[in-house]
Amino acid sequence: MTFGAIITGLLYAGAMRFSAWPLMPVGYLLSSTWMLKTIWFSIFLGWLAKVVILRYGGATLFNAARPLFYSLIFGESLAAATWMLITLILAQGDYNDKVPNFLPG
C-alpha cells in the first residue's frame, strides 16, 4: 500500500509541476479495477479521436466536433435508460427470462 501511495504521489507531483504531463494519478488508481479493464478500448478510441482531431483540425475542429461527442454520450445514456425502463416494466409482469446485460461479463 505504501508503494502505491508513493507512485500516486509521484504521478500527482508530475501532473502539478508539468502542464504536458501525460500520466494522471487517477489512471494508476483505477488501473486494476474491473470497470477499467472492461472499457479500456472505448477510452482508447476517445483519446485517439481527440488526438487526430487536434492534430489535423486544431482547436477550431475540436470545438466544432464537441457537440457530436456530447450527442454520442447522451444517446448511449438514453438507450441504457430506455432498456432499464423496459426491463422494469417486464419485471413487473413476471417476465424475467430475458434480462438485458449492459456491460460484458
Side-chain angles (χ1 to χ4, degrees):
M1 199 160 139
T2 304
F3 180 72
I6 290 170
I7 295 295
T8 303
L10 289 173
L11 289 173
Y12 180 75
M16 290 288 109
R17 175 75 172 103
F18 306 106
S19 63
W21 184 260
L23 303 173
M24 294 293 120
V26 70
Y28 176 72
L29 291 174
L30 295 176
S31 65
S32 63
T33 63
W34 171 82
M35 180 56 78
L36 196 62
K37 290 178 182 178
T38 303
I39 64 170
W40 70 269
F41 190 69
S42 298
I43 293 171
F44 171 72
L45 286 179
W47 169 82
L48 184 64
K50 181 186 113 171
V51 167
V52 169
I53 288 171
L54 281 173
R55 177 154 306 168
Y56 295 111
T60 305
L61 183 60
F62 182 76
N63 287 331
R66 192 176 297 184
L68 169 71
F69 291 103
Y70 286 157
S71 300
L72 289 172
I73 294 169
F74 179 73
E76 177 66 24
S77 301
L78 184 64
T82 301
W83 281 111
M84 282 193 278
L85 184 63
I86 290 171
T87 302
L88 178 67
I89 292 169
L90 291 176
Q92 294 297 321
D94 291 330
Y95 183 77
N96 294 323
D97 293 337
K98 307 263 185 194
V99 177
N101 293 324
F102 296 108
L103 295 173

